[in-house]
Amino acid sequence: MVTAAGVSVTTRGDAVEETEAVLERLVSDGVPGALTSKSAQLWGPDALSEASRRLGWLDLAETSRNLLEPLQQLAAEYKAEGLDHIVLAGMGGSSLAPEVITRTAGAELTILDTTDPHQIGRAVADRIERTVVVVASKSGGTIETDCHRRAYEQAFREAGITGDALKHRFVVVTDPGSPLEASARQAGYHVVLADPDVGGRYSALTAFGLVPSALAGVDVAALLDDAAALAPSLRQPYDNPGLALGAALGSAAVGGRDKLLIADNGSGIVGFGDWAEQLIAESTGKEGKGILPVVVESVAAPGFAPAPDVRGVVLGEFDTAALRVKGPLGAQFLLWEYATAVAGRVIGINPFDQPDVQEAKDLANEMLRSEDGRPPVIVAGEPDLVDGAVEVHAGGAVKADNLADALDELIALVPDRGYLAVMAYLDRTGSDAPAAELRALITERSAGVRRQGAAPVTFGWGPRFLHSTGQFHKGGPQNGVFLQLTGEVEKDLPVPGKPFTFGTLQLAQAFGDLRALRSRGRPAVRLHLRDRATGVQQLLDALR
């Protein structure tokens, strides 16, 4: 066990020997001192340019403190005015950390990291007279976030909130010099600039994590205090939890255990696995290498068991886990960022770029292009099979004549040491939410279908996973099998000022991702739910 500042990393069993060997090499190479000194040379010459401007996260426990007093004042101002419904429009690194922070603290924050018209429609109709919208985009050009902003601007105007009152309802978080900064200042919105030397997935303790959380009522100073308490140990060659965790993750991956099953068991932190999933998958999944995080429901979940290509990690207490991590949330953010950077060096990749994320975005944008302002038309094509409320668009991957057999055929395609990814372009907070149960059911079903036993199964809500595991799907080991879910839109929502609707945008994103996956020769099946509630239930029944 390695312990410092209330954080502990414990390895046991076969993880001990493989970790120790890598740990010794990292110490002899001087990695702890070089990393905390921000040496961009740690990841090789090809990573030098990117890494040299992406290491600001190491100092955030101190540099983010200048945000605390202004945020406290702004939060008090909104509270005094009765503006107590905070909405965050952001994707990936701009939404995942605030979600963990506020859920762990028990604070309410409405998060929009979707293009589903049903979910967005409910959000913009909810307490609009008491709403403040945080628009968060590092690049300033995130299409989802821009569309959310447009929808809220219209909703405010329709509610009679105009002029200075409307300007007061928006807080924009972005990097200096981004297009969003320019447009937000022109519009008169409150602007908070983030640290440009921190990448999106390392931004938990920047303005992206702190602004929406503070406005929602969280004591964000405590997060920085916990991170600051851990920071000195990260400079040390020994008794360094971050180095130990990085060595454990990296050594497991190079030793063939490149699936990291993440389970919580009483950590007190809510939803941390989803944040860690993005950090690890997007940082390491490239050049045919990487660590695939598989977030499971609990230590008793199907699939949380020893396997040749799996390493399990438990957040909290679990004596038999090969890898166990404990500590307060602010310190955990810094711990895992440090460990991921170290694991990148061990694996031999640049942990700060995301070279394959843009492809699906470009394909989606291509489908959204229109001439003369006419709405774009997306042609879905004829299904290979219709079973009840579910259409099966197989792309040649399966040949079954009913849904249950089609699912079994797809599961059987998962190769030895491969994985299956479920990608749901649906409404994650409404009637489609039970779709998340598919992960456990498919894992359990795969134990009987595959000769090799249960397959690692990930579950992602689209398009949010495109900013997370989407990089791994395309840049990581090409052994994935993909199940995409789309659904009929009952009530679409126009995007103000654009020639397309949210429903069209959602479908374009799904199709763009599907094309990117199939272009790599990976089996990818799309199931379209003609009726969402009925279709989800039919899927669950077929797997049971």
Side-chain angles (χ1 to χ4, degrees):
M1 178 190 293
V2 179
T3 304
V7 173
S8 67
V9 174
T10 305
T11 54
R12 63 180 302 279
D14 61 358
V16 175
E17 185 175 349
E18 67 181 23
T19 299
E20 285 297 325
V22 171
L23 196 54
E24 289 177 11
R25 189 169 75 246
L26 291 169
V27 170
S28 66
D29 288 347
V31 169
L35 180 51
T36 52
S37 297
K38 300 184 184 176
S39 171
Q41 298 177 338
L42 284 169
W43 301 276
D46 291 343
L48 190 60
S49 175
E50 183 80 22
S52 64
R53 53 191 180 87
R54 287 290 180 258
L55 292 169
W57 52 272
L58 287 158
D59 301 326
L60 291 174
E62 300 304 328
T63 58
S64 285
R65 291 187 183 275
N66 61 2
L67 293 170
L68 297 180
E69 186 176 348
L71 283 178
Q72 187 178 31
Q73 293 174 353
L74 186 61
E77 181 182 339
Y78 281 134
K79 185 177 181 180
E81 296 172 5
L83 301 177
D84 57 0
H85 179 219
I86 308 301
V87 175
L88 170 60
M91 301 297 297
S94 299
S95 65
L96 290 165
E99 184 171 60
V100 177
I101 294 168
T102 52
R103 290 180 67 193
T104 299
E108 183 190 12
L109 178 67
T110 297
I111 293 179
L112 278 185
D113 55 0
T114 181
T115 47
D116 187 83
H118 306 105
Q119 189 173 335
I120 295 167
R122 285 197 310 276
V124 297
D126 182 24
R127 294 170 285 174
I128 193 68
E129 72 285 353
R130 293 158 48 192
T131 294
V132 172
V133 181
V134 179
V135 179
S137 170
K138 182 173 178 63
S139 68
T142 309
I143 187 171
E144 299 96 334
T145 305
D146 177 66
C147 293
H148 298 152
R149 174 189 59 79
R150 291 168 179 269
Y152 267 100
E153 285 174 341
Q154 177 171 291
F156 283 131
R157 292 188 182 103
E158 290 176 350
I161 301 168
T162 59
D164 288 342
L166 185 148
K167 296 175 185 177
H168 189 52
R169 298 301 188 94
F170 285 95
V171 178
V172 170
V173 183
T174 189
D175 273 7
S178 78
L180 181 57
E181 183 197 0
S183 62
R185 292 197 188 281
Q186 185 175 11
Y189 299 153
H190 188 99
V191 175
V192 181
L193 295 179
D195 188 335
D197 292 330
V198 180
R201 56 189 178 274
Y202 291 80
S203 66
L205 298 177
T206 70
F208 288 106
L210 302 185
V211 170
S213 302
L215 296 184
V218 178
D219 176 14
V220 295
L223 297 171
L224 300 181
D225 290 343
D226 289 334
L230 175 66
S233 69
L234 301 182
R235 305 186 187 102
Q236 307 303 320
Y238 302 103
D239 298 322
N240 181 334
L243 195 68
L245 181 56
L249 299 178
S251 62
V254 296
R257 294 182 185 272
D258 60 355
K259 317 295 188 306
L260 184 71
L261 269 65
I262 304 174
D264 190 280
N265 199 51
S267 74
I269 300 173
V270 183
F272 188 82
D274 289 340
W275 175 82
E277 178 184 55
Q278 186 212 14
L279 173 69
I280 297 167
E282 197 171 42
S283 296
T284 69
K286 57 200 73 169
E287 299 177 25
K289 307 173 186 178
I291 302 169
L292 177 67
V294 181
V295 181
V296 300
E297 298 74 23
S298 72
V299 293
F304 196 79
D309 59 338
V310 168
R311 170 67 73 220
V313 57
V314 173
L315 305 171
E317 298 286 353
F318 197 63
D319 290 340
T320 59
L323 183 57
R324 188 181 69 207
V325 181
K326 297 168 61 177
L329 179 55
Q332 290 263 25
F333 282 139
L334 179 58
L335 173 79
W336 285 84
E337 288 164 355
Y338 183 102
T340 300
V342 170
R345 175 181 169 86
V346 175
I347 296 168
I349 51 88
N350 172 9
F352 304 111
D353 67 349
Q354 49 283 330
D356 302 291
V357 165
Q358 192 61 37
E359 180 182 3
K361 295 181 184 179
D362 290 343
L363 290 170
N365 289 335
E366 185 179 310
M367 282 180 267
L368 291 171
R369 288 197 189 99
S370 63
E371 296 180 6
D372 302 323
R374 290 176 294 179
V377 177
I378 299 177
V379 180
E382 292 298 317
D384 298 287
L385 165 68
V386 178
D387 188 341
V390 182
E391 296 178 359
V392 179
H393 297 259
V398 299
K399 306 291 185 184
D401 57 8
N402 63 74
L403 178 60
D405 288 348
L407 291 168
D408 282 350
E409 279 190 36
L410 187 66
I411 291 168
L413 291 174
V414 178
D416 188 23
R417 311 185 78 85
Y419 66 96
L420 190 147
V422 183
M423 309 168 297
Y425 287 82
L426 298 170
D427 175 358
R428 78 180 179 103
T429 63
S431 60
D432 302 340
E437 297 176 26
L438 288 170
R439 197 215 68 79
L441 287 173
I442 290 176
T443 304
E444 195 168 3
R445 180 70 169 249
S446 69
V449 171
R450 299 174 70 244
R451 177 178 53 82
Q452 308 96 319
V457 178
T458 66
F459 182 94
W461 293 102
R464 106 186 205 149
F465 79 86
L466 291 176
H467 301 257
S468 176
T469 49
Q471 165 63 40
F472 187 98
H473 292 167
K474 302 167 190 71
Q478 291 302 293
N479 54 10
V481 172
F482 301 90
L483 177 63
Q484 185 185 86
L485 307 179
T486 58
E488 201 67 24
V489 172
E490 296 176 6
K491 186 177 181 181
D492 209 345
L493 194 67
V495 178
K498 294 289 185 180
F500 52 81
T501 65
F502 277 103
T504 302
L505 172 58
Q506 183 182 43
L507 196 60
Q509 291 175 314
F511 282 17
D513 193 40
L514 197 64
R515 282 175 58 185
L517 294 170
R518 286 177 173 169
S519 72
R520 287 162 170 77
R522 302 313 307 157
V525 170
R526 180 172 73 95
L527 302 183
H528 183 71
L529 312 182
R530 292 184 167 187
D531 177 275
R532 292 190 179 208
T534 303
V536 167
Q537 190 57 52
Q538 188 180 338
L539 274 171
L540 297 175
D541 290 343
L543 288 165
R544 293 187 182 112

